[in-house]
Amino acid sequence: MTEKFIKNEQLNFIRKQVALIKDSKQKNVPQNVLASVIDLANAKILDLFPNTTREQQELLDLSRLTTDNEYEQYIRRLSDFLLPFPQITEQQLKKMFPKQKKLKLPDLANIDHSQLTYLSWNDLRANKKFIVYELDGKLVGIECEFTPTSKKNLCSFCNCFGEVAYFSTVTKAKKPKNPDYYKAIGNLICADSSECNKKITNVEYLTTFFKDSLGI
Ligand SMILES: [Zn+2]
């Protein structure tokens, strides 16, 4: 039995590739074009997992699928291999945000940990958003101020168009000669983080954002 090896954002990426293939089929593109769309999707998916076993490669291989039903089964089968977001306790969260004396906590029991790239919740009254992410094997947290926007825009994390809010966070970057210096990073991010977690297909920006904010 293969161990769990797929991250949430990777499964989202695979779903997106399947959607592209289905889209090409619906448009009745010529067979050779469809074949290259499928080849490319397959190659991109395998590229996500450089150190796979033969068994894992077989699971990921979508080149022989043809019907919608087969694609659905393929995604469902892969879902069994989703790596869940690490379990975290309220105590750990409180430790992560020590400055927040009355930290509003997320409803951990009701969050689906299998579909999370990052954990996030808002404290609407304090205009704050908290984001927790596993960076290099360690769970780290960032606190942001947020300003709601009424416009739709691109989210920095998932790169999708949707309802976003403006989040800014003060980084730990310091200038030795100027103790008052602080650098803030602002981003437009999906207002609804569970939606964002369903759409995010890579963690490049998220990782950079955490590293910059934490001064790593
Ligand atoms: Zn997003």
Side-chain angles (χ1 to χ4, degrees):
M1 180 69 189
T2 301
E3 282 179 22
K4 294 177 190 274
F5 69 103
I6 304 174
K7 291 179 179 167
N8 175 59
E9 65 275 11
Q10 291 172 323
L11 189 62
N12 288 343
F13 181 90
I14 295 170
R15 276 201 193 94
K16 205 169 159 184
Q17 297 305 316
V18 167
L20 282 173
I21 295 172
K22 282 187 176 173
D23 191 49
S24 301
K25 283 184 176 224
Q26 264 175 5
K27 286 180 183 150
N28 283 319
V29 299
Q31 273 306 318
N32 59 334
V33 175
L34 180 64
S36 57
V37 170
I38 294 174
D39 273 354
L40 188 62
N42 215 27
K44 282 184 178 172
I45 291 169
L46 288 173
D47 262 4
L48 285 183
F49 304 90
N51 303 310
T52 43
T53 62
R54 176 173 288 216
E55 201 183 349
Q56 288 166 337
Q57 282 174 18
E58 276 167 19
L59 272 167
L60 293 165
D61 187 351
L62 52 61
S63 61
R64 282 186 294 270
L65 311 180
T66 50
T67 65
D68 278 6
N69 199 10
E70 282 171 347
Y71 283 115
E72 260 169 52
Q73 277 178 11
Y74 166 79
I75 295 289
R76 221 176 300 143
R77 199 165 51 236
L78 291 184
S79 307
D80 290 340
F81 297 93
L82 263 181
L83 286 162
F85 192 81
Q87 285 294 331
I88 188 162
T89 62
E90 294 189 346
Q91 230 45 41
Q92 283 171 297
L93 289 176
K94 282 179 187 163
K95 251 192 197 164
M96 212 174 263
F97 301 102
K99 280 189 205 154
Q100 296 291 317
K101 295 291 173 239
K102 286 182 188 162
L103 179 68
K104 183 183 175 278
L105 292 162
D107 186 2
L108 287 172
N110 284 315
I111 290 174
D112 181 1
H113 281 65
S114 68
Q115 283 192 33
L116 280 189
T117 292
Y118 67 92
L119 171 70
S120 178
W121 67 101
N122 298 341
D123 183 345
L124 294 175
R125 220 184 276 174
N127 267 342
K128 284 194 188 302
K129 180 185 186 72
F130 300 91
I131 308 173
V132 174
Y133 178 60
E134 191 179 32
L135 188 67
D136 301 331
K138 192 171 173 256
L139 284 171
V140 281
I142 289 179
E143 178 189 322
C144 305
E145 299 273 337
F146 80 83
T147 319
T149 60
S150 52
K151 286 184 188 148
K152 288 192 169 183
N153 215 319
L154 272 186
C155 163
S156 299
F157 288 174
C158 67
N159 221 4
C160 293
F161 196 76
E163 304 256 346
V164 292
Y166 182 78
F167 296 96
S168 69
T169 184
V170 173
T171 73
K172 296 218 163 85
K174 284 266 176 280
K175 278 189 177 171
K177 283 179 187 162
N178 183 358
D180 295 330
Y181 169 84
Y182 72 91
K183 185 177 159 233
I185 304 180
N187 277 297
L188 291 169
I189 305 172
C190 287
D192 181 344
S193 61
S194 71
E195 280 304 307
C196 193
N197 269 294
K198 284 180 198 156
K199 295 189 288 195
I200 188 166
T201 55
N202 78 71
V203 291
E204 214 170 296
Y205 186 84
L206 189 64
T207 309
T208 311
F209 169 68
F210 264 79
K211 286 188 173 166
D212 285 353
S213 305
L214 299 169
I216 298 172

Coordinates of all heavy atoms in Angstrom, one line a residue, residues 1-11 14 45-46 48-61 74 77-84:
M1 N 0.9 -1.2 0.0 CA 0.0 0.0 0.0 C 0.9 1.2 0.0 O 1.8 1.4 0.8 CB -0.9 0.0 1.3 CG -1.8 1.2 1.4 SD -3.1 1.1 0.2 CE -3.9 2.7 0.4
T2 N 0.7 2.1 -1.0 CA 1.4 3.3 -1.0 C 1.0 4.3 0.1 O -0.1 4.4 0.4 CB 1.2 4.0 -2.4 OG1 1.6 3.1 -3.4 CG2 2.0 5.3 -2.6
E3 N 2.0 5.0 0.6 CA 1.7 6.0 1.7 C 1.2 7.2 1.0 O 1.3 7.5 -0.2 CB 3.0 6.3 2.4 CG 3.4 5.3 3.4 CD 4.7 5.6 4.1 OE1 5.0 6.8 4.1 OE2 5.3 4.7 4.6
K4 N 0.5 8.1 1.9 CA 0.0 9.3 1.4 C 1.2 10.2 0.9 O 2.2 10.3 1.5 CB -0.7 10.1 2.5 CG -2.0 9.3 2.9 CD -2.7 10.0 4.1 CE -3.8 9.2 4.6 NZ -5.1 9.3 4.0
F5 N 1.0 10.8 -0.3 CA 2.2 11.5 -0.8 C 1.8 12.8 -1.6 O 2.6 13.5 -2.1 CB 3.0 10.6 -1.7 CG 2.3 10.2 -3.0 CD1 2.7 10.8 -4.2 CD2 1.3 9.2 -3.0 CE1 2.0 10.4 -5.4 CE2 0.7 8.8 -4.2 CZ 1.0 9.4 -5.4
I6 N 0.5 13.1 -1.6 CA 0.0 14.2 -2.5 C -0.4 15.4 -1.6 O -1.2 15.2 -0.6 CB -1.1 13.8 -3.4 CG1 -0.7 12.6 -4.2 CG2 -1.6 14.9 -4.2 CD1 -1.8 12.0 -5.1
K7 N 0.1 16.5 -1.9 CA -0.3 17.7 -1.1 C -1.6 18.3 -1.7 O -1.8 18.2 -2.9 CB 0.8 18.7 -1.1 CG 2.0 18.3 -0.3 CD 3.1 19.3 -0.3 CE 4.3 18.8 0.5 NZ 5.4 19.7 0.3
N8 N -2.3 19.1 -0.9 CA -3.5 19.7 -1.4 C -3.3 20.5 -2.7 O -4.1 20.3 -3.6 CB -4.1 20.6 -0.3 CG -5.3 21.4 -0.7 OD1 -6.3 20.8 -1.1 ND2 -5.2 22.7 -0.7
E9 N -2.3 21.3 -2.7 CA -2.1 22.2 -3.9 C -1.7 21.3 -5.1 O -2.0 21.7 -6.2 CB -1.0 23.2 -3.6 CG 0.4 22.8 -3.4 CD 0.6 22.4 -1.9 OE1 -0.3 22.4 -1.1 OE2 1.8 22.2 -1.6
Q10 N -1.1 20.2 -4.9 CA -0.8 19.3 -6.0 C -2.0 18.6 -6.6 O -2.1 18.5 -7.8 CB 0.2 18.2 -5.5 CG 1.6 18.8 -5.2 CD 2.5 17.8 -4.6 OE1 2.1 16.9 -3.8 NE2 3.8 17.9 -4.9
L11 N -2.9 18.2 -5.7 CA -4.2 17.7 -6.2 C -5.0 18.7 -6.9 O -5.6 18.4 -8.0 CB -5.0 17.0 -5.1 CG -6.2 16.2 -5.6 CD1 -5.8 15.0 -6.4 CD2 -7.1 15.7 -4.4
I14 N -3.5 18.9 -10.3 CA -3.9 17.8 -11.1 C -5.4 18.0 -11.6 O -5.7 17.7 -12.8 CB -3.8 16.4 -10.3 CG1 -2.3 16.2 -10.0 CG2 -4.4 15.3 -11.1 CD1 -2.0 15.1 -9.0
I45 N 2.1 16.7 -14.5 CA 1.8 16.1 -13.2 C 2.9 15.2 -12.7 O 3.3 15.3 -11.5 CB 0.5 15.2 -13.4 CG1 -0.7 16.1 -13.7 CG2 0.3 14.3 -12.2 CD1 -2.0 15.3 -14.2
L46 N 3.6 14.5 -13.6 CA 4.7 13.7 -13.1 C 5.9 14.5 -12.6 O 6.6 14.2 -11.7 CB 5.2 12.7 -14.2 CG 4.2 11.5 -14.4 CD1 4.6 10.7 -15.6 CD2 4.1 10.6 -13.2
L48 N 5.7 17.2 -11.0 CA 5.4 17.6 -9.6 C 6.0 16.7 -8.6 O 6.2 17.1 -7.4 CB 3.9 17.7 -9.3 CG 3.0 18.8 -9.9 CD1 1.6 18.6 -9.4 CD2 3.5 20.1 -9.5
F49 N 6.2 15.5 -9.0 CA 6.6 14.4 -8.0 C 7.9 13.8 -8.5 O 7.9 12.7 -9.2 CB 5.6 13.3 -7.9 CG 4.2 13.9 -7.5 CD1 3.3 14.3 -8.4 CD2 3.9 14.0 -6.1 CE1 2.0 14.7 -8.1 CE2 2.6 14.5 -5.8 CZ 1.7 14.9 -6.7
P50 N 9.0 14.4 -8.3 CA 10.3 13.9 -8.8 C 10.8 12.6 -8.2 O 11.5 11.9 -8.8 CB 11.3 15.1 -8.5 CG 10.6 16.0 -7.6 CD 9.2 15.7 -7.5
N51 N 10.3 12.3 -7.0 CA 10.9 11.1 -6.4 C 9.8 10.0 -6.1 O 9.6 9.6 -5.0 CB 11.5 11.4 -5.0 CG 12.6 12.5 -5.2 OD1 13.5 12.3 -6.0 ND2 12.6 13.5 -4.4
T52 N 9.1 9.7 -7.2 CA 8.0 8.8 -7.0 C 8.4 7.3 -7.2 O 9.4 7.1 -7.9 CB 6.8 9.0 -8.0 OG1 7.4 9.3 -9.3 CG2 6.0 10.1 -7.6
T53 N 7.7 6.4 -6.6 CA 7.9 5.0 -6.9 C 7.1 4.6 -8.1 O 6.3 5.4 -8.6 CB 7.3 4.2 -5.7 OG1 5.9 4.4 -5.6 CG2 7.9 4.5 -4.4
R54 N 7.3 3.5 -8.6 CA 6.6 3.0 -9.8 C 5.1 3.0 -9.6 O 4.3 3.4 -10.4 CB 7.1 1.7 -10.2 CG 6.4 1.1 -11.4 CD 7.0 -0.2 -11.9 NE 8.3 0.2 -12.5 CZ 8.8 -0.5 -13.6 NH1 8.1 -1.5 -14.1 NH2 9.9 -0.2 -14.1
E55 N 4.8 2.5 -8.4 CA 3.4 2.4 -8.0 C 2.7 3.8 -8.0 O 1.6 4.0 -8.5 CB 3.3 1.8 -6.6 CG 1.9 1.2 -6.3 CD 1.9 0.7 -4.8 OE1 3.0 0.6 -4.2 OE2 0.8 0.4 -4.4
Q56 N 3.4 4.8 -7.5 CA 2.9 6.2 -7.5 C 2.7 6.7 -8.9 O 1.8 7.4 -9.2 CB 3.8 7.1 -6.6 CG 3.6 6.8 -5.1 CD 4.7 7.4 -4.3 OE1 5.8 7.8 -4.8 NE2 4.5 7.6 -3.0
Q57 N 3.7 6.4 -9.7 CA 3.7 6.9 -11.1 C 2.5 6.3 -11.8 O 1.8 7.0 -12.6 CB 4.9 6.5 -11.9 CG 6.1 7.4 -11.5 CD 7.4 6.9 -12.1 OE1 7.4 6.2 -13.1 NE2 8.5 7.4 -11.6
E58 N 2.2 5.0 -11.5 CA 1.0 4.4 -12.1 C -0.3 5.1 -11.7 O -1.2 5.3 -12.5 CB 1.0 2.9 -11.9 CG 1.8 2.2 -12.8 CD 2.1 0.7 -12.4 OE1 1.3 0.2 -11.6 OE2 3.1 0.2 -12.9
L59 N -0.3 5.4 -10.4 CA -1.5 6.1 -9.9 C -1.7 7.5 -10.6 O -2.9 7.9 -10.8 CB -1.3 6.4 -8.4 CG -1.7 5.3 -7.4 CD1 -1.2 5.7 -6.0 CD2 -3.2 5.2 -7.3
L60 N -0.6 8.2 -10.8 CA -0.7 9.5 -11.3 C -0.9 9.5 -12.8 O -1.4 10.5 -13.4 CB 0.6 10.3 -11.0 CG 0.9 10.6 -9.6 CD1 2.4 11.0 -9.4 CD2 0.0 11.7 -9.1
D61 N -0.6 8.5 -13.5 CA -0.6 8.4 -15.0 C -2.1 8.5 -15.5 O -2.9 7.7 -15.2 CB 0.0 7.1 -15.4 CG 0.1 7.0 -16.9 OD1 -0.5 8.0 -17.6 OD2 0.7 6.1 -17.4
Y74 N -10.3 8.6 -11.2 CA -8.9 9.0 -11.0 C -8.6 10.0 -9.9 O -7.8 9.8 -9.0 CB -8.4 9.5 -12.4 CG -7.0 10.2 -12.4 CD1 -5.8 9.4 -12.4 CD2 -7.0 11.6 -12.5 CE1 -4.6 10.1 -12.5 CE2 -5.7 12.2 -12.6 CZ -4.6 11.5 -12.6 OH -3.3 12.1 -12.7
R77 N -9.5 8.4 -6.5 CA -8.4 7.5 -6.1 C -7.2 8.3 -5.5 O -6.7 8.0 -4.5 CB -8.0 6.6 -7.3 CG -7.3 5.4 -6.8 CD -7.2 4.4 -8.0 NE -6.6 5.0 -9.2 CZ -7.3 5.0 -10.4 NH1 -8.4 4.4 -10.5 NH2 -6.7 5.5 -11.4
L78 N -6.9 9.4 -6.2 CA -5.7 10.2 -5.8 C -6.1 10.9 -4.4 O -5.2 11.1 -3.6 CB -5.4 11.3 -6.8 CG -4.8 10.8 -8.1 CD1 -4.4 11.9 -9.0 CD2 -3.5 9.9 -7.9
S79 N -7.3 11.2 -4.2 CA -7.7 11.9 -3.0 C -7.4 11.0 -1.7 O -7.2 11.5 -0.7 CB -9.2 12.2 -2.9 OG -9.6 12.9 -4.1
D80 N -7.4 9.7 -1.9 CA -7.0 8.8 -0.8 C -5.6 9.0 -0.4 O -5.2 8.5 0.7 CB -7.2 7.3 -1.2 CG -8.7 7.0 -1.4 OD1 -9.5 7.7 -0.9 OD2 -9.0 6.0 -2.1
F81 N -4.8 9.6 -1.3 CA -3.3 9.7 -1.0 C -3.0 11.2 -0.6 O -1.8 11.6 -0.6 CB -2.5 9.3 -2.2 CG -2.7 7.8 -2.4 CD1 -3.7 7.4 -3.4 CD2 -2.0 6.9 -1.8 CE1 -3.9 6.1 -3.6 CE2 -2.2 5.5 -2.0 CZ -3.2 5.1 -2.9
L82 N -4.0 11.9 -0.2 CA -3.7 13.3 0.2 C -3.1 13.4 1.6 O -3.6 12.8 2.5 CB -5.1 14.1 0.3 CG -5.5 14.9 -0.8 CD1 -6.9 15.6 -0.5 CD2 -4.5 16.0 -1.2
L83 N -2.0 14.1 1.7 CA -1.3 14.4 2.9 C -2.1 15.4 3.7 O -2.3 16.5 3.2 CB 0.1 14.9 2.7 CG 1.1 13.9 2.2 CD1 2.3 14.7 1.6 CD2 1.6 13.0 3.3
P84 N -2.6 15.1 4.9 CA -3.4 16.1 5.6 C -2.5 17.2 6.2 O -1.3 17.0 6.3 CB -4.1 15.4 6.7 CG -3.2 14.2 6.9 CD -2.5 13.9 5.6

